Amino acid sequence: MEYIYITSGTEHYLRQILAEHPGEGIMLLQNYEHSILLHETSGASVFKEENTYRKLQSSGKMKGYGFVTLEYIMMQRDEEVPIFLQNYEQMVRQLHETPGLQCVQLGQSLTQNKFLVLAFWDSEMYYQAFKATPYHARIVAMMEKNNTQIGFSHIDTYHFPEFDHDAR
């Protein structure tokens, strides 16, 4: 079984983790406010603190550059899970035809009734075009419906760093 581990911190701290585990295939992702590490493995996490998702599905291949979206989808009730999974299956079939998409993965949280749709794009332009599709609108509607005080659905966007300025 494969897992997706995500941790956050300062860029300097995260680069230290990368340096300590060079063969692990850990990816640094950034946006204007945050930096995260993403680690996919069938083994244990190398992070001290992480969010863990069991990888349910993956298609395509990451290229190591571009734009990354993390869509966190919270479910209020267990009976909503099959509906979400059916919507996801319909969406992912269409995604295979989507220009600029490198890879899409579905993860399920081990601790909450939450899913993660992780998509890697050649650039933000391709993701913006996908946002206009009815498939994405259906997922966003489900996300908005399932926001509660216990947990909330949201979308985070990141990119691969272009420079290695803080590697020391």
Side-chain angles (χ1 to χ4, degrees):
M1 176 161 301
E2 286 253 338
Y3 295 94
I4 302 168
Y5 300 108
I6 301 171
T7 194
S8 61
T10 65
E11 180 181 352
H12 181 74
Y13 172 70
L14 297 179
R15 287 194 184 270
Q16 287 176 335
I17 294 172
L18 283 172
E20 292 169 5
H21 304 282
E24 288 287 332
I26 300 170
M27 294 173 270
L28 174 65
L29 301 172
Q30 300 175 305
N31 62 26
Y32 292 109
E33 298 171 359
H34 304 304
S35 295
I36 64 170
L37 290 179
L38 180 70
H39 185 206
E40 298 178 17
T41 182
S42 56
S45 174
V46 298
F47 304 145
K48 292 179 182 164
E49 293 183 25
E50 75 280 333
N51 291 314
T52 305
Y53 296 87
R54 182 170 33 108
K55 191 187 298 184
L56 301 178
Q57 189 178 59
S58 181
S59 62
K61 188 151 178 83
M62 288 175 268
K63 298 177 183 175
Y65 65 85
F67 189 74
V68 183
T69 58
L70 290 84
E71 297 182 335
Y72 298 94
I73 303 161
M74 192 71 156
M75 297 289 129
Q76 288 183 25
R77 297 180 303 279
D78 290 339
E79 56 269 12
E80 292 176 322
V81 171
I83 296 166
F84 165 73
L85 292 174
Q86 182 180 13
N87 284 337
Y88 177 82
E89 285 297 323
Q90 291 173 356
M91 181 187 74
V92 83
R93 278 195 288 270
Q94 297 299 316
L95 276 175
H96 292 295
E97 311 283 323
T98 304
L101 180 69
Q102 300 173 13
C103 175
V104 64
Q105 300 176 343
L106 177 65
Q108 184 175 15
S109 174
L110 298 182
T111 60
Q112 300 176 18
N113 209 6
K114 181 169 42 171
F115 290 86
L116 169 66
V117 177
L118 181 61
F120 296 82
W121 302 87
D122 287 341
S123 73
E124 184 177 1
M125 175 188 72
Y126 292 107
Y127 171 67
Q128 294 299 333
F130 171 69
K131 280 177 55 174
T133 67
Y135 303 102
H136 189 262
R138 193 177 308 148
I139 295 297
V140 168
M142 184 174 281
M143 290 170 72
E144 289 171 350
K145 175 184 165 208
N146 284 309
N147 283 337
T148 67
Q149 290 180 346
I150 302 168
F152 66 99
S153 301
H154 62 283
I155 300 172
D156 291 337
T157 59
Y158 293 90
H159 60 87
F160 285 89
E162 295 181 25
F163 305 104
D164 203 21
H165 60 78
D166 195 23
R168 286 173 268 195

